[in-house]
Amino acid sequence: MARKERPLEGEDGPLLEFATALRRLRHEAGSPPYRDMAERAHYSVATLSGAAAGRRLPSLDVTLAYVRACGGDVGKWEARWHAAAVELAADGAGPRPAGAGEPRAPAAQGLPYVGLAPFRTEDAALFFGRERLVEDLFDALTRHRVVALVGASGAGKSSLLHAGLLPRLHADTPARGVTVLTPGPHPLDRARRALAAAPEPGTDPATGPGTAERVLVVDQFEEVFTVCADPAERTRFVTGLVAAARRPGSGCRVVLGVRADFYAHCTRHPELVDVLREAQVVVGPMSAAELRRAVVEPARRAGLTVEGGLQATLVAHAHGQVGVLPLLSHSLLETWRRRRGAALTLDGFHAAGGFEGALAQSAEALYDSLSAPQQRLARRIFVHLIALGEGTEDTKRPVDRSELGQDADTRTVLARAAALRLLTLGDGAVELTHEALIRAWPRLRGWLTDDRERLRRHRQLAEAARAWEAVGRDPGALLRGAPLALARELTAAGGPVLTAAEAEFLAAGTAAEAAAGDSARRRTRRLRLLVGALAGLVVVAAVATGSAVRAEDEVTRQRNDAVAQNLAETSAGVAAAEPGLAVQLGLTAYRLSPTARTRDGLLSALMTSLPAHAKEVVAVAYRPDGRQLATASGDRTARLWQTRGGGRPDPVATLGGEGAPLRALAYRPDGHTLATAAADGAVRLWDVTDPAHASVAAALPARESDVRALAFSPDGRTLATAGAGGSVRLWDVTDPTGPTETAAVPGHRDTVRAVAFSPDGRILATGGEDTTVRLTDVGDRTRPESLAVVGGHDTPVFSVAFAPDGRTLATASGGRTPVRLWDLTEPRRPAPLATLTGHTDVVGAVAFGPDGRTLASASDDRTVRLWSVARGARPAPLATLTGHVTAVGSVAFSPDGTVLASGGYDSTLRLAATDLDRALAGACAHTGPRITRAQWASYMPYLDYSPPCSGLERP
């Protein structure tokens, strides 16, 4: 009989509720002894019993192991764990980030990483990797009185200024005064206050004549263009700032932190042109060595280690990429929260959601923890904190706390968002912690897409109201006509809550319009008298009408393009919940404006999607006859699926479930054997002749600690395995029940991530974390011979694939050359054929279609791309498929080439038809009930009701 557990102690709260729910789950499972649960879960009795003790929140891995041991729903418990983590963070029961009234100092809190927030001066002990750039900036400031620090959003400009330059300045001259400011809506006032406090040369008795000097650091200088609404004040600010630094005898030097996409805005000011020409420091992407320091050193200072595989993955994601440092820091912080003892692991990284997924996962956890009214409030708050770009990317904007309200729900939303480092609260203002949230959170992008025109109108109304106040409420500054009507529509549509000044401005405009009504009617009567005189101008009017019609056609086309693009993005947002509606929205968008973007949106909506595993899907493979598909996952299992073309596959069997997470799988050409590889080095051969009763035929002797790739030779007699330490091994599997090792293939200096045989079986291609691809002659399986080493990538190589004719090799990596094609006509002298660009993140998998004319690539940017490679030297994009909410790690064509399967770190399997024209033509066969008039009016109020699939039944 199981020993009775101690009663839970403590106050009611999320921690106690979570522990109670775990105990209830165990009771419903028959109260199995913890010793039995430990055998199933591979965690100790103490760890599992401690998970339900209610003293602290167990890690996600321990929680899910507990749930599996009790037969619970892993997906539901993972969501429950994240919700509990958010509540505990908001209540201060966990490592709470900076919030209202709390000092923001990760180093002081014992956190090794700052997350999404930029480094501050007090975080200097955690700031690594930018030492050389700090010195470059310091030297530039020594030689010039005004220096511009230019870099993309997310490149680390604010961190460089606060945690790099400021400590360097204080170390160089302790008496030197340093003032930091952001421009805000009234930059001139802020600059005057800062400059008024600057000492004049020769007035500091502590340092002697001529040595007292102040450095003015203007962070987020782009606010001059996004937040300051007065062009005249903007010009005076820029002119005064530069003049104050450059006037003879000035005791002031100035550093401007400028976002790169506002470079053109800066060139409109002659003073800034001189600065950019003479004293400009550019913040580019960090080198691989710098990235490793940024990852490893903060952990080392905290007594932690970073797993080698995690280091390689993070460096591969970030190397050569601009604007990714906030995502890197946030994913590291979330990985630290899921650490195993004193180690940050690759499994923890994946559990956090991966590179961009970690941020999206944190934001979604916040959203899911809110009530329905709070979720609506969160939407209003987040979009209100964003300045819409005009020829530039959208940016964050600080907002006065009073603009958002003071009710309890608002305080809850702000507190929880600040606890997760999504928002920063301080000095009476609220702002996004970083603009990376705009790019990485799909829900926020969807809100901005839906609300963009309304937001733009509201911002215009706010600026007009401020201008009216600035001129003493002059009636001439009031809105009239169409602008006033649009402003009234904005409030009538249940739009944003107006400030008192905005409401008064709108009311004054309405009153002025009513007062002018009589005058307008009198003018109308006079105009009627002129109608007779216009009769002689009929011919001229006809010509003008023709021009107007053409102009109207062009306006209609542009409107249709904008509407269609918005519909395509909306379709992607509703695909998970209402796939039938998503197809109809996508089809309407494509018919309205048949562009590549709307076509891709429709094709993505037509993909079959299903949750395949409890964790990330790391590999997919079709059986050679195409009637079965296998998937491998980090949840330690492989699954077999019966396929029906592009339709929803049926689960047949689950293999494994014990040991370590799986890394790869491959079918033997006869289809009777499936090989799987795991993170603990285990390679198993499964007899899948009867898929429903699959069994282990043999287990290869473990040679490495981690096997990352597998491939069978075309004749099925040889299996190649590759993994840690640069190992590549060949195994004789003529008899799958008695495999033997035939040779080890030398050459790689680091983990090998990819392996593939040529169609004739004589060449083996391997790619690894040493950034190289190696070609080896394996005609004699016992004596492999090196043919060539292929360079060309500047980050690890994650996938290799031969074209069916064996003359072309595709390789996948990250950095500046994510996908490359190589001509292997002469295998000893492979020649570069083409570079495929378009992906914005690491490409983890490539696969050729069976006809060799199409290539598929899967990327951490959450897309799968199809390319026409029939003309090898001139590849062309065919389609970009979206839908995965995190990185896509695997891709495979069906043997007949009609279906493309992809597996993602969102744990889903997606199937897409590859005959694009046929898929578009048959789109209506994949929808549910016809879109209703109410749904149509909700998504397309500006279009007449016209369902794209009129033959469907009404709901």
Side-chain angles (χ1 to χ4, degrees):
M1 179 180 294
R3 185 175 60 187
K4 190 174 182 179
E5 292 182 295
R6 292 181 179 178
L8 291 170
E9 300 176 353
E11 299 179 359
D12 290 340
L15 193 59
L16 197 63
E17 291 176 6
F18 193 81
T20 302
L22 280 176
R23 292 189 174 193
R24 188 184 306 118
L25 175 68
R26 178 171 174 251
H27 175 72
E28 293 170 352
S31 298
Y34 274 115
R35 188 174 301 281
D36 293 348
M37 290 174 61
E39 292 178 359
R40 300 175 205 161
H42 303 288
Y43 279 95
S44 70
V45 171
T47 298
L48 293 176
S49 62
R55 291 187 292 271
R56 60 186 177 86
L57 184 68
S59 71
L60 178 60
D61 283 344
V62 170
T63 299
L64 298 185
Y66 191 109
V67 170
R68 291 191 192 95
C70 296
D73 186 321
V74 171
K76 290 181 179 178
W77 274 93
E78 184 166 1
R80 176 178 285 185
W81 184 91
H82 285 296
V86 170
E87 288 191 64
L88 289 169
D91 293 341
R96 176 187 172 100
E102 178 183 1
R104 191 218 158 283
Q109 298 176 39
L111 305 179
Y113 304 102
V114 301
L116 193 62
F119 288 81
R120 314 311 298 178
T121 305
E122 57 267 32
D123 303 323
L126 304 176
F127 187 64
F128 292 94
R130 288 296 197 186
E131 292 84 359
R132 178 177 177 182
L133 195 56
V134 169
E135 289 303 317
D136 289 346
L137 181 57
F138 181 81
D139 290 344
L141 188 60
T142 302
R143 290 181 282 108
H144 303 280
R145 305 211 66 82
V146 185
V147 176
L149 181 69
V150 182
S153 173
K157 301 181 300 299
S158 293
S159 298
L160 186 71
L161 292 172
H162 289 271
L165 179 63
L166 266 60
R168 180 69 176 84
L169 289 171
H170 290 308
D172 175 67
T173 308
R176 186 197 301 267
V178 180
T179 301
V180 182
L181 66 86
T182 54
H186 300 292
L188 200 56
D189 291 342
R190 294 190 180 185
R192 283 170 177 163
R193 289 195 297 270
L195 292 171
E200 292 298 327
T203 62
D204 189 341
T207 58
T211 60
E213 197 170 60
R214 178 171 293 275
V215 176
L216 182 62
V217 177
V218 185
D219 193 12
Q220 300 174 41
F221 183 75
E222 61 273 5
E223 286 187 3
V224 172
F225 308 106
T226 61
V227 180
C228 176
D230 185 352
E233 181 176 2
R234 181 184 307 145
T235 299
R236 291 197 301 273
F237 169 71
V238 171
T239 303
L241 197 66
V242 176
R246 288 184 167 176
R247 71 172 184 264
S250 171
C252 179
R253 294 179 186 268
V254 176
V255 183
L256 308 176
V258 186
R259 240 178 64 173
D261 50 335
F262 286 88
Y263 199 93
H265 292 65
C266 293
T267 60
R268 297 169 190 166
H269 298 270
E271 301 87 353
L272 294 181
V273 171
D274 292 340
V275 173
L276 295 173
R277 182 188 300 119
E278 299 171 3
Q280 178 182 171
V281 177
V282 178
V283 183
M286 297 174 77
S287 68
E290 290 172 333
L291 286 167
R292 287 187 186 276
R293 281 183 56 77
V295 170
V296 173
E297 287 301 318
R300 187 180 64 80
R301 293 265 177 127
L304 305 170
T305 60
V306 182
E307 190 178 77
L310 176 58
Q311 292 183 40
T313 298
L314 291 172
V315 171
H317 276 79
H319 187 244
Q321 304 293 320
V322 294
V324 300
L325 296 184
L327 298 178
L328 175 67
S329 186
H330 184 81
S331 63
L332 279 166
L333 180 60
E334 293 302 310
T335 303
W336 172 80
R337 287 176 173 152
R338 295 160 177 82
R339 63 194 180 277
R340 184 187 302 146
L344 276 65
T345 67
L346 190 59
D347 286 344
F349 171 73
H350 289 318
F355 200 59
E356 290 193 352
L359 180 52
Q361 187 167 290
S362 295
E364 282 299 306
L366 164 70
Y367 187 79
D368 291 341
S369 74
L370 303 174
S371 65
Q374 289 170 345
Q375 288 178 342
R376 291 191 291 272
L377 183 61
R379 173 174 181 162
R380 198 189 83 184
I381 288 173
F382 275 95
V383 298
H384 194 59
L385 295 173
I386 296 171
L388 302 180
E390 298 289 350
T392 61
E393 294 182 2
D394 297 338
T395 60
K396 65 176 183 176
R397 71 182 189 113
V399 169
D400 190 271
R401 176 69 177 79
S402 61
E403 291 186 31
L404 302 177
Q406 302 293 335
D407 58 281
D409 279 348
T410 299
R411 291 196 298 273
T412 297
V413 172
L414 294 178
R416 293 187 181 181
L420 288 172
R421 298 178 181 267
L422 303 177
L423 298 183
T424 299
L425 314 180
D427 298 329
V430 182
E431 64 179 329
L432 296 182
T433 302
H434 202 282
E435 279 128 355
L437 185 64
I438 304 173
R439 302 190 298 270
W441 189 13
R443 187 183 298 275
L444 179 55
R445 291 203 308 272
W447 289 342
L448 290 173
T449 298
D450 294 343
D451 297 350
R452 185 166 292 273
E453 185 56 33
R454 181 183 62 79
L455 288 168
R456 203 178 300 281
R457 289 187 196 174
H458 183 213
R459 303 286 159 77
Q460 291 170 350
L461 173 63
E463 291 175 8
R466 284 195 292 269
W468 179 60
E469 293 280 0
V471 295
R473 300 196 169 193
D474 187 333
L478 292 171
L479 295 179
R480 291 179 173 80
L484 180 60
L486 289 173
R488 284 200 296 259
E489 284 180 13
L490 180 68
T491 56
V497 177
L498 303 184
T499 64
E502 291 166 357
E504 291 177 13
F505 173 67
L506 193 57
T510 301
E513 184 180 59
D518 290 341
S519 176
R521 284 189 287 274
R522 286 194 297 271
R523 287 197 301 272
T524 300
R525 286 195 295 272
R526 288 197 298 269
L527 288 173
R528 286 174 179 169
L529 298 176
L530 299 176
V531 170
L534 297 176
L537 301 176
V538 171
V539 175
V540 176
V543 174
T545 300
S547 300
V549 168
R550 288 191 296 273
E552 184 178 0
D553 289 343
E554 176 60 20
V555 170
T556 301
R557 185 192 65 77
Q558 293 179 2
R559 184 208 65 178
N560 288 348
D561 288 346
V563 170
Q565 179 177 335
N566 181 55
L567 270 182
E569 295 175 353
T570 302
S571 169
V574 303
E578 299 180 272
L581 175 61
V583 171
Q584 294 179 74
L585 294 177
L587 191 55
T588 301
Y590 182 67
R591 291 178 178 175
L592 192 63
S593 178
T595 63
R597 179 171 293 183
T598 57
R599 179 206 60 197
D600 291 348
L602 177 55
L603 291 171
S604 300
L606 289 169
M607 294 175 72
T608 299
S609 177
L610 71 157
H613 287 271
K615 283 192 173 184
E616 66 274 10
V617 180
V618 297
V620 295
Y622 274 96
R623 194 169 69 182
D625 63 5
R627 290 183 292 182
Q628 189 180 103
L629 177 71
T631 57
S633 170
D635 66 5
R636 300 177 173 83
T637 67
R639 288 190 174 176
L640 306 181
W641 308 82
Q642 182 180 349
T643 58
R644 294 184 176 86
R648 190 179 183 88
D650 292 328
V652 176
T654 299
L655 314 181
E658 299 178 352
L662 296 189
R663 299 297 200 192
L665 53 73
Y667 274 103
R668 197 164 181 252
D670 63 5
H672 297 311
T673 303
L674 178 74
T676 62
D680 59 2
V683 176
R684 294 180 175 88
L685 302 181
W686 299 82
D687 183 348
V688 292
T689 305
D690 180 0
H693 301 89
S695 60
V696 177
L700 275 59
R703 298 283 193 261
E704 284 77 41
S705 59
D706 189 1
V707 176
R708 306 304 297 255
L710 296 168
F712 280 100
S713 62
D715 62 9
R717 300 176 62 183
T718 304
L719 174 68
T721 63
S727 68
V728 179
R729 299 182 185 277
L730 302 180
W731 304 81
D732 184 344
V733 290
T734 305
D735 176 7
T737 64
T740 58
E741 183 176 351
T742 61
V745 181
H748 285 286
R749 301 186 304 275
D750 207 338
T751 299
V752 181
R753 303 293 294 269
V755 61
F757 281 95
S758 62
D760 62 6
R762 296 190 59 85
I763 300 175
L764 186 72
T766 55
E769 293 183 5
D770 58 6
T771 74
T772 67
V773 175
R774 290 182 172 268
L775 302 180
T776 304
D777 185 341
V778 290
D780 182 347
R781 298 294 199 256
T782 63
R783 298 179 61 186
E785 178 188 352
S786 177
L787 291 174
V789 179
V790 182
H793 289 292
D794 50 9
T795 63
V797 178
F798 296 101
S799 181
V800 295
F802 281 95
D805 63 4
R807 296 180 180 176
T808 304
L809 180 72
T811 58
S813 179
R816 295 182 295 275
T817 56
V819 181
R820 299 198 69 174
L821 300 180
W822 304 87
D823 184 349
L824 299 188
T825 304
E826 297 183 52
R828 292 188 181 276
R829 287 184 291 277
L833 198 58
T835 299
L836 280 59
T837 58
H839 284 295
T840 59
D841 209 330
V842 171
V843 176
V846 286
F848 279 98
D851 62 0
R853 302 172 63 86
T854 307
L855 181 75
S857 56
S859 171
D860 284 14
D861 65 9
R862 305 191 294 274
T863 69
V864 175
R865 290 179 180 257
L866 290 172
W867 311 83
S868 171
V869 290
R871 303 169 70 183
R874 288 196 289 268
L878 291 176
T880 301
L881 304 177
T882 58
H884 287 286
V885 299
T886 56
V888 191
S890 52
V891 67
F893 282 94
S894 62
D896 62 4
T898 61
V899 180
L900 180 70
S902 60
Y905 283 87
D906 55 5
S907 78
T908 65
L909 171 69
R910 295 178 69 86
L911 304 178
T914 58
D915 187 334
L916 307 185
D917 293 335
R918 186 175 180 181
L920 295 175
C924 285
H926 299 275
T927 62
R930 184 197 307 177
I931 185 172
T932 65
R933 287 185 179 274
Q935 289 172 324
W936 185 280
S938 174
Y939 291 106
M940 296 165 281
Y942 22 69
L943 298 178
D944 293 334
Y945 180 62
S946 178
C949 301
S950 56
L952 297 176
E953 295 183 2
R954 296 181 183 275

